[in-house]
Amino acid sequence: MSTVAVAARPRVGVVKFASCDGCQLTLLDLEDQLLDVVEHFEIVDFPEATSARSAGPYDVLFVEGSVSEPAHLERIVDLRRRSRYLVTIGACATAGGIQALRNWGDHDAFRDAVYAHPEFIHSLARSTPIAEHVTVDAELRGCPIDPGQLMELLTALITGRRPQLPDEAVCMECKRRGVVCVMVSKGLPCLGQVTQTGCGAICPRFGRGCYGCFGPREQANAAGLTRHLQMAGDRPREEIGRLFAGYTAWSEPFRSMVTELGGAGRGPADARPGSTTTTADDPAATGGTP
Amino acid sequence: MSAATNPPVDERIYEVGELTRVEGEGSLRLRVRDGEVVEARLGIFETPRYFEALVVGRTPDEVVDMVARICGICPVAYQMSAVHAFEDLFGVRIDPVSRALRRLLYCGEWIESHVLHIYLLHLPDFLGYESGIAMVADHRPVVEAALRAKKAGNELIKALGGRPIHPVSVRVGGWSRAPRKAELMALRPALDEGLRIAQDTVRLVAGLQMPPFARETRFVSIKHPSEYPFSDGRIVSSDGIDSPLGAWRSLFEEFQVEGTNALHARSLDGKGVYLLGPAARITLAGDQLHPLAADALAATGMAQLIQTNIYASIVARAVETVQAFAEAIDIIDGYAPPQEALVPWTSRPGTAAWATEAPRGMLFHQYEVDEAGRIAHAQIVPPTSQNQAAIEADLVVAAKEVLDLEHTAATHRLEQMIRSYDPCISCATHFLDLTIEEV
Amino acid sequence: MVTAIFPQPRGMRSQPEGPGFLARADLQVLMDLLREDQRHLIGPTISDATIIYDEITSVEDLPIGWGDDQAPGRYRLRKRADERLFGHVVGPTAWKKWTFPALVPLTTATRDGHKVGFAPETTVPPKLAFLGVRACDLAALASQDRVLMGGSFVDPDYILRRASVLVVAVQCTTSSSTCFCTSMGTGPEVTSGFDLALTEVEDGVLVDAGSAAGRAIVERLPLRPASSAEQYGAAATVAQVRARIGDPVPMAGLHDRLLAQLDHPRWAQVAERCITCGNCTLACPTCFCTTLTQRTDLAGRTATTDRTWDSCFSPGFAKVAGGSFRSRPRDRYRQWLTHKFATWVDQFGHYGCTGCGRCITWCPVGIDVRDELNAIAPAVPLNPETVLVDPVAATPNEFVGARVIHTKQETADTTTLTLTGADPAFSKGSTGQFAMVALPGFPPLPISISRFLPDGIELTIRGAGPATTAMCALQVNDQVGLRGPLGNNWPLDRAVGRDLVIVTGGIGLAPLRPVLHAIVAGRRRFGDVKLFYGARTPADLLYRDELERWAARDGIEVALTVDRAGPEWTGRVGVVTHLFDQADWDGSNTIAFVCGPERMMQATATTLAGRGVPASRIHVTLERHMECGIGLCGHCQMGKYFVCRDGPVFSIAQLGDTFGREGI
């Protein structure tokens, strides 16, 4: 993660790839701090929030969403060229998102779909994180990102220091806050030990195990955790695989666990004839570009 | 794309390649030839993420978490439609307090979503600004109040679910953790202030200049005998539909239209396009409004206008914000923790189907659950995809109103009209029915 | 060797007037007194299916009738059959949550153009009373006192917070399977460091004051003197707790033992299980590592530095610009364990662990430090087999008599004498020990005991000089003088469950013969047992009938070799190491006993090491010039050892590079 001295009032863009919008919304959800932020940053392009547009160049570009269709490939490269400092925000941009579960599908089968929807041709076989296509200067993990970490990054950009985004386990946050470990006290499987902190230990605080939406942390011993869950919890392999097959499944070592144990599914196992789709005016044949 | 050659007739193209101040990626294209609309298209080019395929093979609780990711603005709506569908199929009776907490959660989302839309997405159009942020220079107190109101909604979701976007505690059977009374009471001051801000908002938007527009609209919403509709009741319409919530597929169907990533919907009775959302709910279920919301609506005198002028939906949205604050306060005041925050359940195979009222309108889920308790098939029909036909029908009407405006102003007016729907485009394109046939 | 500073456990502290008895019905009076003066009372209470420490106000807040079941990685509440208030042990909360909180603002910095300013933040801590502090946690408070207040640099925030705490300790009347305060010397008895100490009895608590503040409270409590039955019962309950916990981690010499094992393979093995999540360090009541985080406003004008709990397990803990000093999980686990159980002693004079068991219970994957310590740095075994009997005639002047009842000529120059009538201590000696054997007019000589009998011993003697020749010539009913049994033994109990390799030559089988007898007597306790024995000629092989019997009937693999032989010898010829240096066996689970000329032992040790037998499990017996056998004449000194007293059995690991070094 590099630091860069940004301009006095940095020009900021916010762009979206394949995603739900939640991470961009976190910026607008800064509430009382939002007006302070827009005083220090000039938001030049943020389609969800403003009709003002700019094609760049950007001092800071926030990128939400994963690369999921052919047009994205060129678009991200183009955006990278126009940005001094590119920050990926959220599990889709940093890890490929929940939609990356389709990466375990049979890609040939995808292409042989019975209903050859024209849009379908415009989908890549894989949903991948931004960093697989261009260099990324900083990333904010999470599904969605944490507003505190967003403010920390914005502050770091202004003050010129390295953003404090610790690489430790969620467990540390649980213990600091006095949250009782759900694995030890309730036997609930929890990925917190192998997941990067940042959320404030939300899931254990609310009585359930962490599902890894901030992605695997550095040196995550997913294999050790898997062995323990299998032996101590007597859980079948596929159930443990589904634990890892979540919002950051495509990141290692979660990815290897899913590949080894299963859990990503293959999509609809059987086509249902006469399902919800009917075609009007036979658009399947045309395959036009929107 | 502009017309490169001189058209032989008077053809005007109003186009916005990427709509702004809407959620998600959509485009607008209106082609008018000799005063006749020949093309009215809300194009949605948001990338599909195949949720209906992703949930296959997963368990109900996993699905509740996953479908939230269809939309960052209305994740709770997806969790609610899913969880009620499963509980209905499995015969799960949740604690009555759990049910109240779910209404409270929905209140939080309606507040956050409606305030976001009114102030940050839509109001700038009426006041002539590019964004809600740009309004700060001249209207700082108004924007700050809006942000405080939005924050109150988010803090409510956070108190119940851990975070305002993709909350974590909604489970089949209830809640992984129920809040303590003190935690909810701590929100009261902000909710009280939010209620006042919402009431001010109704007055503010009722005083706005509404562009002229009129179309007899067919409304569809959920209706309940004693509550303003959230997650319970029956599907009703302004022309006689009255069916259980799980019966969406007997009333409507989805179909694909070229040039857009979102499936459209139509009613099977052939009676034409229909509209979901605040205007529909106010019209069909207005008798169940909280007294404070009903008073606010009455004071505007715009109940009739809401039924025909889509631009006036901002007023309907503001009234519903009063509704959400008022109900939230009532629920919190009467709250005592549930006996059993999470009741045990076992899955049953079959069809789980339910609809709830997302901020933007009725959201329908249907799941086939297999013998092993896993999802075998999913269908999710968001309000915006159902509203597409209505949007395009309204574009046709709006075309007449803008013909004599200057081109840029006309295009802006059309965008403003689309924003009146508060379209949630990520929702509309969460899916494509991914049917795989092995060769 | 450093010993823990925790005082030896004693019974309840006695006062001139003895402890008082406070009825259960009056306990609220105590709680109200503790909360006077805006003091907040922190005590055990149930939250989220766990007994945590949190602010409480009334007796009803206590976990009445609840106990806990704890195991590595597992905690469950358990309803008790009674209504005890303190019938549980420690939960996940450590008292450091209040004395050393997870987040403390330290400094606020301001920037104004070129000028910068740094202002220390001081939090005025609230007054607190801790109710329910167990002995292990008292020791933890004492540890943090030493670390944070007792050195050259002190933490002012800790000082303030610590001073504002009133400590009400509670004696443990139950224990958990994860407790090991007994081993760490910190409990279960509460002995000091408290203002009040309570011991729960049937219908109330015994109250003991430990300070002026405590006495001030005691004076205002409706106490009556505790009866001696009550006091005795309370002490007995705590003693039962001690007995139930036992001694899970033998501590003697742990510091040195652990630091000698920095390359133990177990570090890598535990690192495969360890997730480096940091739970153990943050649950631990003595861990004190912290990190600094910065909070700035957007304008960058003000910045506050906060101190927050950190863990040496985090990957970034030891990072500098060039990389991390402890990049591997095994390095970080080793850092934690060696700090807690060894280097902490060097730094602060006491062990960093108080035996509370939290790191065991709250490790999500159930790693148990006691198992790890016992695997990496096992204690010298103290089981009855190897308790060495006190030798008799143990001064330079004395000898006791013994009578020859049988002689056997083993080989041309070697005779075995069977002796009886000696002090019974000789029969209780251990395999590998020797006796100083004396005949009038001859210098006493060290002779290995080659057999232990119920009423005597056997000595196998090679007539190499005048004294040994005289001994070989003894007849039945002749007498000799003995001192012993002396020296240490072959550590046969460390061979339990392992494969054994015994390598010897010539007379060297004599000190090993008792080992083989013991193995045969309990053959099932050991794995493969191989004896490799060489002699100059077949006629020089000792105990031939026993060799045959061991091989044929007793499950010992016997391989013999001679240097040279006549045509009647059909066995191997060559040096004894050749018997096993070609074989393809894995020595990683093997323990080896080797006896012979030193050069032979060196060659054997090298070959065994090449087969994967670790140096700590290759044992040799050394021969040196001995005249007293009890370490007073100085002749048998080798390096730091006296062979007669510290040996004659040593492991290669112990000897290090003195073994085989010329001139030592």
Side-chain angles (χ1 to χ4, degrees), chain C residues 399-424:
Chain C
F399 290 97
V400 292
R403 187 164 51 87
V404 178
I405 56 165
H406 183 68
T407 72
K408 178 177 181 205
Q409 179 138 22
E410 305 277 358
T411 71
D413 62 358
T414 306
T415 300
T416 296
L417 302 173
T418 309
L419 301 172
T420 189
D423 189 287

Short mmCIF file of all heavy atoms in Angstrom, two decimals, chain C residues 399-424:
data_model
loop_
_atom_site.label_atom_id
_atom_site.label_comp_id
_atom_site.label_asym_id
_atom_site.label_seq_id
_atom_site.Cartn_x
_atom_site.Cartn_y
_atom_site.Cartn_z
N PHE C 399 32.70 -47.91 54.88
CA PHE C 399 32.25 -48.97 53.97
C PHE C 399 31.35 -49.90 54.76
O PHE C 399 31.48 -50.03 55.97
CB PHE C 399 33.44 -49.79 53.42
CG PHE C 399 34.28 -48.98 52.45
CD1 PHE C 399 35.44 -48.35 52.89
CD2 PHE C 399 33.92 -48.87 51.12
CE1 PHE C 399 36.22 -47.61 52.01
CE2 PHE C 399 34.69 -48.12 50.23
CZ PHE C 399 35.84 -47.49 50.67
N VAL C 400 30.44 -50.53 54.05
CA VAL C 400 29.64 -51.59 54.70
C VAL C 400 30.05 -52.92 54.09
O VAL C 400 30.53 -52.99 52.96
CB VAL C 400 28.13 -51.36 54.52
CG1 VAL C 400 27.69 -50.14 55.31
CG2 VAL C 400 27.75 -51.27 53.08
N GLY C 401 29.79 -53.98 54.84
CA GLY C 401 30.23 -55.29 54.36
C GLY C 401 29.19 -56.00 53.54
O GLY C 401 28.00 -55.71 53.64
N ALA C 402 29.66 -56.93 52.70
CA ALA C 402 28.77 -57.84 51.96
C ALA C 402 29.52 -59.15 51.76
O ALA C 402 30.75 -59.18 51.75
CB ALA C 402 28.38 -57.24 50.63
N ARG C 403 28.75 -60.25 51.57
CA ARG C 403 29.37 -61.59 51.55
C ARG C 403 29.12 -62.22 50.19
O ARG C 403 28.03 -62.14 49.63
CB ARG C 403 28.73 -62.42 52.66
CG ARG C 403 29.34 -63.78 52.91
CD ARG C 403 28.88 -64.31 54.25
NE ARG C 403 27.42 -64.25 54.36
CZ ARG C 403 26.59 -65.21 53.94
NH1 ARG C 403 27.07 -66.31 53.39
NH2 ARG C 403 25.28 -65.07 54.05
N VAL C 404 30.18 -62.85 49.68
CA VAL C 404 30.06 -63.56 48.40
C VAL C 404 29.31 -64.85 48.60
O VAL C 404 29.66 -65.65 49.46
CB VAL C 404 31.46 -63.86 47.82
CG1 VAL C 404 31.34 -64.63 46.51
CG2 VAL C 404 32.22 -62.56 47.60
N ILE C 405 28.24 -65.07 47.85
CA ILE C 405 27.56 -66.36 47.95
C ILE C 405 27.67 -67.17 46.66
O ILE C 405 27.28 -68.34 46.61
CB ILE C 405 26.09 -66.22 48.32
CG1 ILE C 405 25.35 -65.30 47.29
CG2 ILE C 405 25.92 -65.72 49.73
CD1 ILE C 405 23.85 -65.43 47.40
N HIS C 406 28.19 -66.54 45.61
CA HIS C 406 28.29 -67.30 44.36
C HIS C 406 29.31 -66.60 43.50
O HIS C 406 29.40 -65.37 43.51
CB HIS C 406 26.93 -67.33 43.68
CG HIS C 406 26.93 -68.16 42.41
ND1 HIS C 406 27.08 -69.53 42.41
CD2 HIS C 406 26.79 -67.80 41.11
CE1 HIS C 406 27.03 -69.97 41.15
NE2 HIS C 406 26.85 -68.94 40.35
N THR C 407 30.09 -67.36 42.76
CA THR C 407 30.99 -66.76 41.78
C THR C 407 30.78 -67.47 40.46
O THR C 407 30.46 -68.66 40.42
CB THR C 407 32.48 -66.89 42.19
OG1 THR C 407 32.87 -68.25 42.03
CG2 THR C 407 32.70 -66.42 43.59
N LYS C 408 30.94 -66.70 39.38
CA LYS C 408 30.84 -67.34 38.08
C LYS C 408 31.92 -66.75 37.19
O LYS C 408 32.03 -65.52 37.07
CB LYS C 408 29.47 -67.07 37.47
CG LYS C 408 29.30 -67.66 36.07
CD LYS C 408 27.91 -67.45 35.51
CE LYS C 408 27.86 -68.11 34.13
NZ LYS C 408 26.87 -67.53 33.29
N GLN C 409 32.64 -67.62 36.56
CA GLN C 409 33.65 -67.12 35.63
C GLN C 409 33.01 -66.94 34.27
O GLN C 409 32.64 -67.90 33.60
CB GLN C 409 34.82 -68.10 35.52
CG GLN C 409 35.88 -67.62 34.55
CD GLN C 409 37.27 -67.86 35.09
OE1 GLN C 409 37.46 -68.72 35.97
NE2 GLN C 409 38.21 -67.12 34.60
N GLU C 410 32.83 -65.70 33.90
CA GLU C 410 32.14 -65.43 32.64
C GLU C 410 33.06 -65.68 31.46
O GLU C 410 32.69 -66.31 30.48
CB GLU C 410 31.64 -63.98 32.60
CG GLU C 410 30.76 -63.59 33.78
CD GLU C 410 29.32 -64.00 33.60
OE1 GLU C 410 28.97 -64.54 32.54
OE2 GLU C 410 28.52 -63.79 34.53
N THR C 411 34.25 -65.08 31.55
CA THR C 411 35.23 -65.27 30.48
C THR C 411 36.58 -65.47 31.12
O THR C 411 36.69 -65.53 32.34
CB THR C 411 35.29 -64.04 29.54
OG1 THR C 411 35.92 -62.96 30.25
CG2 THR C 411 33.94 -63.64 29.06
N ALA C 412 37.59 -65.51 30.34
CA ALA C 412 38.93 -65.78 30.86
C ALA C 412 39.31 -64.78 31.93
O ALA C 412 39.98 -65.13 32.90
CB ALA C 412 39.94 -65.74 29.71
N ASP C 413 38.91 -63.54 31.77
CA ASP C 413 39.38 -62.55 32.75
C ASP C 413 38.25 -61.88 33.50
O ASP C 413 38.47 -60.94 34.24
CB ASP C 413 40.25 -61.50 32.05
CG ASP C 413 39.46 -60.73 30.98
OD1 ASP C 413 38.25 -61.03 30.77
OD2 ASP C 413 40.03 -59.80 30.37
N THR C 414 37.02 -62.36 33.31
CA THR C 414 35.90 -61.66 33.92
C THR C 414 35.09 -62.61 34.79
O THR C 414 34.77 -63.73 34.37
CB THR C 414 34.98 -61.08 32.83
OG1 THR C 414 35.78 -60.26 31.96
CG2 THR C 414 33.87 -60.25 33.44
N THR C 415 34.80 -62.14 36.00
CA THR C 415 34.07 -62.96 36.96
C THR C 415 32.87 -62.16 37.45
O THR C 415 32.96 -60.96 37.67
CB THR C 415 34.96 -63.29 38.17
OG1 THR C 415 36.10 -63.99 37.69
CG2 THR C 415 34.21 -64.12 39.18
N THR C 416 31.77 -62.88 37.67
CA THR C 416 30.62 -62.24 38.31
C THR C 416 30.50 -62.74 39.72
O THR C 416 30.46 -63.96 39.96
CB THR C 416 29.33 -62.54 37.53
OG1 THR C 416 29.43 -61.96 36.22
CG2 THR C 416 28.12 -61.96 38.23
N LEU C 417 30.47 -61.81 40.68
CA LEU C 417 30.28 -62.16 42.09
C LEU C 417 28.85 -61.87 42.47
O LEU C 417 28.33 -60.79 42.16
CB LEU C 417 31.19 -61.33 42.98
CG LEU C 417 32.70 -61.40 42.74
CD1 LEU C 417 33.42 -60.37 43.62
CD2 LEU C 417 33.22 -62.80 43.03
N THR C 418 28.22 -62.79 43.15
CA THR C 418 26.89 -62.53 43.73
C THR C 418 27.09 -62.25 45.20
O THR C 418 27.69 -63.07 45.90
CB THR C 418 25.96 -63.73 43.54
OG1 THR C 418 25.99 -64.11 42.15
CG2 THR C 418 24.55 -63.39 43.95
N LEU C 419 26.62 -61.11 45.67
CA LEU C 419 26.84 -60.69 47.04
C LEU C 419 25.52 -60.60 47.77
O LEU C 419 24.50 -60.18 47.20
CB LEU C 419 27.52 -59.31 47.08
CG LEU C 419 28.86 -59.20 46.37
CD1 LEU C 419 29.31 -57.74 46.31
CD2 LEU C 419 29.92 -60.02 47.10
N THR C 420 25.56 -60.91 49.03
CA THR C 420 24.37 -60.75 49.85
C THR C 420 24.77 -60.18 51.19
O THR C 420 25.95 -60.00 51.47
CB THR C 420 23.63 -62.10 50.00
OG1 THR C 420 22.38 -61.85 50.63
CG2 THR C 420 24.43 -63.04 50.88
N GLY C 421 23.78 -59.90 52.03
CA GLY C 421 24.08 -59.37 53.35
C GLY C 421 24.42 -57.90 53.33
O GLY C 421 24.78 -57.31 54.35
N ALA C 422 24.34 -57.29 52.19
CA ALA C 422 24.64 -55.86 52.14
C ALA C 422 23.42 -55.08 52.60
O ALA C 422 22.33 -55.62 52.73
CB ALA C 422 24.99 -55.47 50.70
N ASP C 423 23.62 -53.84 52.86
CA ASP C 423 22.53 -52.96 53.26
C ASP C 423 21.41 -53.06 52.20
O ASP C 423 21.68 -53.14 51.00
CB ASP C 423 23.05 -51.52 53.32
CG ASP C 423 22.05 -50.57 53.92
OD1 ASP C 423 21.04 -50.27 53.20
OD2 ASP C 423 22.24 -50.14 55.06
N PRO C 424 20.15 -53.07 52.64
CA PRO C 424 19.03 -53.18 51.68
C PRO C 424 19.03 -52.07 50.62
O PRO C 424 18.45 -52.25 49.56
CB PRO C 424 17.78 -53.05 52.56
CG PRO C 424 18.23 -53.33 53.94
CD PRO C 424 19.70 -53.07 54.03
#
